[in-house]
Amino acid sequence: MKLDLVIVDDSSLWLSLAENLAKTHPFIGRITSFLDSYDAWVYIQVAKPKAVLTDIEMPGMNGFSFLEMFSNRMSFISSSTKQGFEGIARELGCADFIKKPYTKSELHGSIDLVRNQLEGKIPRLI
């Protein structure tokens, strides 16, 4: 199964890095990226993707807001420069948390985890 991944990050540098690293994963299909969290919010409601990688620290609607609204309907990988946000993100239902700066292998591991959860190989925590 190929995953379509939505990436939301207000930093063009991190967004580009995440796109480039995700493209190298063998089970990633289409990648849709957003710098603006409100544009992503609209897209997610309409497209109902299965997997989302979102930054926690964004202006307007932050990554916690996405988790509160959508984590019961789709799998989230949360990311932040602040490790202290991991506990909150996990309580809100993220499938995995990766601290910035993350490596290709860390992102690929998170994608593998989400894929395995979606395929029922390991249970979701929510």
Side-chain angles (χ1 to χ4, degrees):
M1 163 174 90
K2 292 265 187 179
L3 278 179
D4 290 340
L5 179 66
V6 173
I7 302 173
V8 188
D9 199 310
D10 63 310
S11 163
S12 57
L13 175 68
W14 279 109
L15 188 66
S16 177
L17 177 67
E19 288 173 335
N20 289 330
L21 294 177
K23 283 179 191 175
T24 64
H25 192 286
F27 295 110
I28 290 295
R30 181 181 53 181
I31 297 173
T32 308
S33 302
F34 296 92
L35 282 166
D36 183 275
S37 59
Y38 291 109
D39 290 342
W41 177 74
V42 171
Y43 178 83
I44 288 169
Q45 289 187 81
V46 173
K48 296 177 178 48
K50 298 232 184 268
V52 179
L53 167 62
T54 184
D55 182 28
I56 295 292
E57 303 163 87
M58 296 184 290
M61 190 175 299
N62 64 31
F64 294 138
S65 299
F66 280 97
L67 287 168
E68 288 173 336
M69 287 184 283
F70 300 117
S71 68
N72 63 335
R73 293 183 257 162
M74 58 200 65
S75 293
F76 277 82
I77 301 167
S78 298
S79 70
S80 176
T81 58
K82 296 181 181 164
Q83 187 70 39
F85 287 154
E86 180 175 3
I88 299 166
R90 289 196 185 274
E91 284 179 21
L92 292 172
C94 77
D96 204 10
F97 180 93
I98 49 178
K99 186 176 182 303
K100 292 177 180 177
Y102 49 81
T103 64
K104 176 181 171 181
S105 64
E106 289 170 324
L107 180 58
H108 282 209
S110 291
I111 292 168
D112 289 339
L113 177 71
V114 165
R115 182 173 174 260
N116 287 332
Q117 286 177 343
L118 292 171
E119 290 180 348
K121 293 178 183 173
I122 57 174
R124 280 190 74 192
L125 298 177
I126 287 186

